[in-house]
Amino acid sequence: MPATSKAQQKAAGAALSAKRGDTKPSELIGASKEMYDSMTEDELEEMASAKRKGKPQKKDD
């Protein structure tokens, strides 16, 4: 499932970085920490790699 907003995409990128060992999981906060705990590396990669053009900064509820 691709990201629906730029903020969601950035959070997925941060969680992916921690999954790969590039950053410490203890440095994650908020959505990125939840994504780290609940998603696989493949799911995070798919979400983080979506194109940003045309996406809103934050998802409207």
Side-chain angles (χ1 to χ4, degrees):
M1 113 182 111
T4 57
S5 70
K6 292 178 185 178
Q8 190 179 45
Q9 190 174 22
K10 288 173 80 173
L16 180 60
S17 177
K19 282 271 188 191
R20 291 181 174 167
D22 296 333
T23 58
K24 296 179 184 176
S26 61
E27 295 176 0
L28 299 176
I29 57 172
S32 58
K33 185 174 181 83
E34 291 177 26
M35 288 177 174
Y36 175 82
D37 292 335
S38 65
M39 297 176 78
T40 66
E41 188 174 332
D42 289 338
E43 291 172 324
L44 290 169
E45 188 170 344
E46 181 183 351
M47 186 172 275
S49 66
K51 296 199 183 280
R52 283 190 178 197
K53 189 172 184 177
K55 291 195 187 314
Q57 185 62 33
K58 289 190 175 183
K59 183 180 173 188
D60 290 332
D61 289 333

